Amino acid sequence: MAVSLVKTFAEISTPDSPESTPVLMKRAVVLGASMAGLLAARVLSDHAEQVLLIERDDSDSGSDPRPGVPQGTQVHALLSAGAVQLERWFPGFSAEAIAAGAVVPPSDGSRGAFFMNGELRVAPPTEQKDETPVLVSTRPFLEALVRRRTLEVGNITLVTGRADGLIFDGERVAGATYVPTGATESVTERGDLVVDATGRSSKLGDWLEDNGWVRPPMQRMPIKLNYATAMFAYDEKISDLMSSVSQTGPDAVTGRVARIAGFNLVEGDRWIMLISGYGDDRPSRDREDYTTRCRRDFPKVYGDIAEQATMVGDVITYHQADSRRRDFHELTRFPAGLVAAGDAVASFNPVYGQGMTSAMLHASCLSKYLRAQPSLDRPAMAYFELVRVVVDVAWQISTLADLDLPHVDGPYPRGFRFVKWFSGVLFRASMTDGVINARLARVTTMMDHPNSLATLGTVLRALKFGRRKAVAA
Ligand SMILES: Cc1cc2nc3c(=O)[nH]c(=O)nc-3n(C[C@H](O)[C@H](O)[C@H](O)COP(=O)(O)OP(=O)(O)OC[C@H]3O[C@@H](n4cnc5c(N)ncnc54)[C@H](O)[C@@H]3O)c2cc1C
């Protein structure tokens, strides 16, 4: 089982272009044109004669934040596996992004700093470095590029309007309805496959129930996360760091609380910097509060940037109540002609940066499913089984850490105590041993399945280095 999950995950996260892409349908309809919807449309363009994207926001928003993706103003890190998928579906994407202003930090780690409980983590040795592109930008910038490349594909069309339901034909979904922007009446768009990519507030469960089907069971973990993000003009006199993460875990003995902060150098020569807290620990929009927290709660460079660099715009806050997953794979009855992708399936604590990459890997699941030439008159359970592999990976990584939060009391996964112990050993070893750091990074960036760490060599090495003390920041 363990090996097959590693293998299946490797097949999903492959960088290779598909060898054959059979056309299986006349028309696919995708609801929501954000990361999940755009990537799903790109995959479907290989298997459908026509793909229709329905998005409620104006598609011409360029690279400005837009209302349909309110989280887009916050720091958005693209994990390596996501960058690989973008290059896979849009060859030349990285080069284009860099030409347009995306930042690529040097691969020797010299301009990055990761702090754990105030200690600085060692960089991976050069020979352990991935060749995977690291692209750093704001979310709207990245999404605008993905949208442009998607809409350049000849058989993809985008219309603007609010999707408000599905049309059913016996045991299958035969299309969707939407209210075009500026209109008052719904119109029907028929399709052989409908993809729900409307994000974490998806109404798919309601639409299913209204039509006599069962909604997918939902698991929630109440994280109560509070974000505050601000932009600063880059100033190398203050720091030449291009990226940093600072993480503290809760400690009942010292009274230390869980907090994550981070900053990235992004297009336009700006640092985008986030600070966060959980529960009642809630950064406000007040600049002084932001600066005080940067100085008080995080390593010195955070305070330096907040105090000395010029803030561009305002502090913007965001609250996320929970991590959630909809387990479609558990349903025993589901209509044919329907799938879901991205946050509409699962959304996690954003501090781990998994959301966009997960959405991209769901698109890869869709490709793998369609390349197997399934009957579209049957429920797409094989697709949801693949998506489950991706969701389990992200869920395991994010919820394992979040179960330490004092206000979180489950759900606990099977074997929690052992997995928690082993991940603690690995994490401590990664602070002083570059090899373990590199192996762990391949998992946290979703390049490899977590089970890939369960080898004798990795366990022994982690046990050896897990006892050393890291450098205080
Ligand atoms: C504070 C915060 C920080 C984050 N940081 C990161 C990060 O660092 N890295 C990362 O990878 N992820 C991050 N994420 C997660 C990431 O934003 C999401 O996982 C990702 O956007 C999911 O993409 P999606 O396409 O599934 O959904 P969304 O991006 O939410 O898009 C849903 C789309 O559907 C459209 N839509 C909704 N309803 C309808 C309707 N009825 N009709 C038509 N269109 C509709 C919306 O307008 C929108 O375009 C963060 C999230 C938050 C909240």
Side-chain angles (χ1 to χ4, degrees):
M1 180 68 170
V3 173
S4 79
L5 283 176
V6 171
K7 187 166 165 281
T8 305
F9 190 74
E11 288 166 2
I12 293 168
S13 56
T14 177
D16 300 333
S17 301
E19 274 172 16
S20 79
T21 51
V23 174
L24 303 174
M25 63 195 104
K26 281 199 168 354
R27 197 164 191 242
V29 177
V30 180
L31 313 180
S34 181
M35 287 301 181
L38 293 168
L39 266 289
R42 165 62 192 88
V43 164
L44 284 165
S45 70
D46 286 341
H47 300 279
E49 289 171 18
Q50 294 293 325
V51 181
L52 181 72
L53 270 162
I54 301 175
E55 165 57 47
R56 68 182 172 192
D57 273 353
D58 181 358
S59 64
D60 245 357
S61 55
S63 55
D64 290 333
R66 59 191 181 87
V69 182
Q71 74 272 29
T73 50
Q74 304 293 320
V75 167
H76 265 67
L78 177 65
L79 302 183
S80 304
V84 167
Q85 291 304 309
L86 286 178
E87 193 63 38
R88 179 183 181 206
W89 296 111
F90 304 111
F93 187 91
S94 298
E96 257 181 59
I98 293 163
V103 175
V104 181
S107 62
D108 63 3
S110 56
R111 302 206 35 205
F114 179 94
F115 303 93
M116 182 69 196
N117 296 330
E119 293 174 343
L120 185 60
R121 178 149 84 183
V122 69
T126 322
E127 70 275 13
Q128 295 279 330
K129 293 267 160 46
D130 270 330
E131 292 309 310
T132 320
V134 175
L135 291 178
V136 186
S137 71
T138 59
R139 160 69 189 255
F141 171 95
L142 184 71
E143 194 187 294
L145 283 179
V146 176
R147 187 169 50 239
R148 185 167 64 71
R149 287 294 300 264
T150 305
L151 297 181
E152 276 170 13
V153 179
N155 60 348
I156 300 179
T157 314
L158 185 140
V159 292
T160 313
R162 183 175 52 82
D164 62 353
L166 298 173
I167 46 172
F168 289 83
D169 184 357
E171 291 293 295
R172 73 164 2 266
V173 164
T177 56
Y178 83 105
V179 184
T181 302
T184 49
E185 302 278 311
S186 288
V187 296
T188 297
E189 295 291 351
R190 297 192 79 82
D192 305 292
L193 184 68
V194 173
V195 181
D196 173 31
T198 54
R200 75 185 242 124
S201 308
S202 160
K203 297 276 182 292
L204 182 59
D206 295 346
W207 297 341
L208 285 168
E209 247 176 27
D210 290 349
N211 288 278
W213 298 84
V214 174
R215 65 171 65 233
M218 191 194 280
Q219 285 189 60
R220 294 173 193 255
M221 179 172 281
I223 55 172
K224 300 182 186 165
L225 174 71
N226 309 307
Y227 254 41
T229 287
M231 291 270 197
F232 297 90
Y234 173 67
D235 184 343
E236 65 181 359
K237 290 196 285 310
I238 300 169
S239 170
D240 70 351
L241 284 179
M242 293 169 108
S243 68
S244 176
V245 174
S246 164
Q247 191 172 349
T248 54
D251 185 335
V253 179
T254 60
R256 191 178 61 211
V257 300
R259 287 194 181 108
I260 294 199
F263 62 82
N264 283 326
L265 184 62
V266 294
E267 77 277 2
D269 234 13
R270 297 164 297 168
W271 279 304
I272 183 168
M273 185 155 84
L274 84 88
I275 59 174
S276 71
Y278 290 97
D280 296 334
D281 183 19
R282 200 163 187 157
S284 69
R285 304 185 66 136
D286 179 64
R287 285 184 182 213
E288 219 174 290
D289 175 56
Y290 188 91
T291 308
T292 305
R293 286 171 176 268
C294 286
R295 176 59 74 206
R296 186 191 65 200
D297 301 334
F298 301 105
K300 180 176 176 305
V301 62
Y302 289 78
D304 292 348
I305 291 175
E307 281 170 10
Q308 297 164 33
T310 306
M311 193 183 281
V312 185
D314 296 320
V315 179
I316 305 177
T317 54
Y318 195 93
H319 175 73
Q320 184 167 314
D322 57 24
S323 294
R324 56 174 73 166
R325 58 183 287 174
R326 296 175 172 101
D327 287 323
F328 288 89
H329 62 271
E330 286 187 2
L331 291 169
T332 51
R333 185 172 167 257
F334 193 70
L338 177 66
V339 296
D343 278 16
V345 178
S347 81
F348 317 94
N349 183 336
V351 299
Y352 308 106
Q354 300 163 319
M356 297 189 297
T357 296
S358 293
M360 290 162 197
L361 291 173
H362 294 178
S364 178
C365 294
L366 187 59
S367 165
K368 189 166 160 53
Y369 165 70
L370 293 173
R371 278 181 284 131
Q373 307 204 32
S375 163
L376 295 182
D377 290 329
R378 297 240 174 92
M381 298 322 284
Y383 163 78
F384 286 117
E385 281 300 335
L386 292 170
V387 165
R388 175 195 186 175
V389 175
V390 176
V391 172
D392 281 350
V393 165
W395 186 260
Q396 182 181 338
I397 293 170
S398 71
T399 58
L400 193 64
D402 291 344
L403 281 165
D404 276 346
L405 298 171
H407 57 276
V408 174
D409 58 1
Y412 287 89
R414 211 180 312 144
F416 169 70
R417 279 174 188 279
F418 175 76
V419 177
K420 184 76 203 163
W421 170 80
F422 183 49
S423 69
V425 171
L426 272 171
F427 216 87
R428 278 194 301 283
S430 76
M431 297 297 291
T432 55
D433 179 38
V435 174
I436 292 290
N437 184 5
R439 287 182 198 165
L440 187 61
R442 283 192 63 85
V443 169
T444 54
T445 59
M446 298 185 81
M447 294 291 286
D448 290 338
H449 192 279
N451 288 0
S452 65
L453 293 167
T455 65
L456 187 61
T458 302
V459 172
L460 291 177
R461 195 173 176 107
L463 286 170
K464 177 175 162 198
F465 284 90
R467 295 192 196 97
R468 289 197 186 164
K469 185 97 183 79
V471 183

